[in-house]
């Protein structure tokens, strides 16, 4: 079996709920994402528990602060032994470089969020950023690459363009994935797992279609078989 490309988003507010779900999963079929909600509730102890069960952890805390603070936070996050962490590319070059030097290449993967997909043109104008969302995403992805980070979080719809722009080694992590026969929830610009991989995504972040399924393991296996060999 290849290394899993599915990252299950553990969007829970209590450790017990996350652990109940994880009991049904297996590290051979997926990795896990712990974000601000669950980490605020359960902290490094939960991360340790999940890692002891053999899972790779993406710690999705989107650090954004002065370079020194982000570098220190990245260092601590990496020392937990997590597989991947992220920062905001909007923190700028100095912050990205500081994060990079805090996490040596080849250890914890370090990626950046470009523009939050919740932001539309009005939000962008409000804060005084120039350009259309796509242009800003492209600019921030190039900046991320030039600072030596491993990749970005992006919509699967942007993945094909970024893959072409930034080459094969740049890591693209894409949320907004829904199985072709699945429920859409509150996601708007969705893509099927197959299409996301064909667009050049390396990893797929998937939450509710797995966390709310009767049989989460089976869903992971089905999703994996849809993308195997692509
Ligand atoms: O349940 P669902 O599959 O929609 O969960 C997707 C996960 O990816 C959530 O943790 C959400 O916060 C995250 N995410 C997203 N869209 C982005 C960035 C992150 O849905 N643009």
């Amino acid at each position: 079996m290849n290394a899993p490309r599915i990252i299950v988003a553990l969007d829970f507010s209590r450790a017990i709920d996350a652990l109940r779900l994880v009991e049904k999963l297996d590290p051979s079929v997926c990795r896990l994402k712990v974000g601000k909600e669950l980490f605020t509730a359960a902290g490094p102890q939960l991360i340790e528990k999940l890692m002891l069960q053999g899972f790779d952890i993406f710690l999705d805390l989107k650090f954004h602060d002065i370079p020194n603070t982000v570098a220190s936070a990245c260092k601590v996050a990496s020392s937990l032994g997590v597989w991947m962490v992220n920062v905001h590319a909007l923190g700028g070059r100095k912050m990205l470089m500081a994060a990079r030097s805090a996490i040596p290449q080849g250890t914890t993967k370090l990626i950046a969020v470009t523009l939050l997909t919740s932001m539309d043109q009005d939000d962008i104008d409000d804060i005084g950023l120039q350009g259309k969302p796509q242009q800003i995403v492209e600019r921030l992805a190039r900046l991320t690459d030039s600072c030596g980070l491993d990749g970005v979080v992006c919509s699967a719809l942007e993945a094909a363009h970024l893959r072409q722009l930034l080459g094969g080694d740049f890591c693209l992590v894409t949320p907004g994935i829904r199985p072709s026969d699945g429920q859409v929830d509150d996601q708007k610009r969705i893509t099927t797992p197959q299409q996301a991989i064909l667009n050049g995504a390396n990893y797929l972040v998937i939450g509710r279609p797995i966390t709310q399924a009767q049989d989460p393991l089976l869903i992971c296996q089905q999703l994996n078989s849809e993308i195997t060999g692509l």
Side-chain angles (χ1 to χ4, degrees), residues 12 27 47 49 58 63 86 114 120 122 125 131 143 154 159 207 225:
F12 296 103
I47 301 291
K49 270 192 196 157
F58 170 17
F63 295 133
N86 60 358
T114 55
D120 60 18
D122 287 342
D125 296 342
L143 174 67
C154 67
S225 65

Side-chain angles (χ1 to χ4, degrees), residues 166-224:
L166 298 164
D169 293 336
F170 199 65
C171 182
L172 301 176
V173 178
T174 61
I177 306 292
R178 288 294 175 272
S180 34
D181 56 352
Q183 205 177 299
V184 170
D185 302 310
D186 56 356
Q187 293 282 9
K188 292 205 177 74
R189 301 167 71 226
I190 54 161
T191 313
T192 62
Q194 217 169 4
Q195 193 56 53
I197 296 290
L198 291 173
N199 286 1
N202 298 91
Y203 299 103
L204 313 178
V205 173
I206 308 178
R208 288 159 290 179
I210 295 170
T211 59
Q212 292 178 13
Q214 286 284 359
D215 188 344
L217 183 66
L218 181 68
I219 301 288
C220 284
Q221 287 163 337
Q222 285 170 349
L223 293 170
N224 277 324

